[in-house]
Amino acid sequence: MIGIKLILPVKKLEKEFKDIIFDYQLEGDLLYYSYMDAINNFDDYLRRLKELSVGKNLPQDDVPVTEYWLVDIDEKEIRGMIKIRYKSIPIHGNISYNIPPKKRFLGYGTNILQLGIEKAKELGIEEVKVSCASNNEGSRKIILKNNAVFIGLKEENNEVYEVYIIK
């Protein structure tokens, strides 16, 4: 993990972040839609992330969440995004992460989850719950590389998720 770290989203990486969002769109990845606010108004997006991290104006049934970006040590390139929830939610647990299409299969998934687990523990989360779609072999491997223990299956919107605990 030499040369990478987690940071809070920053204005200076706006162009880089928007390029990643457009890459999701080109790939037909639905993650594109979850970042539309950043395309429309990046400053508002950053402000909204701060609100969510302190639990302000949360959507119904949501919990406080902080987004971090995995970046190179010089903070010039985003390698992934991770969200850490202060309370576990039923299917998706405490952590969700994604690696941009052009950065996949380079080890960043394992790195971002490992750093996210460390960050979660710093925040007082002793047992980290994480999940992946049952057909997402890459994510399953990443989760298992981080010493996760399978605890069961959950279903949401006709998709089955594998749920894991990491202590």
Side-chain angles (χ1 to χ4, degrees):
M1 284 193 309
I2 295 173
I4 57 172
K5 62 182 178 178
L6 290 181
I7 65 167
L8 292 169
V10 292
K11 177 76 171 166
K12 75 177 184 177
L13 290 173
E14 177 179 2
K15 182 188 179 318
E16 169 91 12
F17 189 65
K18 287 180 176 181
D19 288 346
I20 288 168
I21 296 166
F22 289 125
D23 285 345
Y24 283 128
Q25 183 183 29
L26 290 173
E27 292 280 322
D29 193 318
L30 296 178
L31 280 170
Y32 166 76
Y33 296 103
S34 66
Y35 292 112
M36 283 301 299
D37 290 344
I39 293 291
N40 296 328
N41 188 323
F42 193 75
D43 291 331
D44 279 352
Y45 178 75
L46 293 177
R47 181 190 50 72
R48 182 69 180 133
L49 290 179
K50 287 178 185 173
E51 287 182 355
L52 293 172
S53 72
V54 296
K56 186 176 177 185
N57 299 320
L58 289 174
Q60 186 174 354
D61 299 325
D62 271 7
V63 298
V65 59
T66 300
E67 181 171 314
Y68 296 92
W69 291 347
L70 182 70
V71 297
D72 65 306
I73 204 72
D74 298 322
E75 297 182 13
K76 293 181 180 173
E77 185 177 28
I78 301 169
R79 313 250 169 110
M81 293 78 77
I82 188 166
K83 294 181 182 189
I84 301 175
R85 296 176 201 88
Y86 296 90
K87 294 178 187 171
S88 178
I89 59 174
I91 292 177
H92 303 291
N94 299 98
I95 290 180
S96 59
Y97 62 92
N98 55 77
I99 303 299
K102 292 179 180 175
K103 300 295 179 193
R104 292 180 182 158
F105 308 108
L106 300 171
Y108 296 125
T110 302
N111 295 151
I112 200 169
L113 183 55
Q114 182 179 0
L115 291 170
I117 292 163
E118 291 171 13
K119 183 66 73 177
K121 292 186 182 213
E122 288 172 18
L123 297 169
I125 303 167
E126 294 299 318
E127 284 190 348
V128 175
K129 191 184 283 186
V130 64
S131 69
C132 66
S134 61
N135 63 354
N136 188 337
E137 184 65 30
S139 196
R140 178 186 305 112
K141 287 178 180 179
I142 288 166
I143 291 167
L144 291 172
K145 282 182 189 176
N146 279 280
N147 302 314
V149 175
F150 176 76
I151 59 168
L153 299 172
K154 300 271 185 175
E155 188 174 336
E156 179 182 69
N157 299 326
N158 296 318
E159 183 146 23
V160 177
Y161 290 87
E162 298 176 7
V163 183
Y164 297 85
I165 288 281
I166 302 168
K167 295 182 181 186

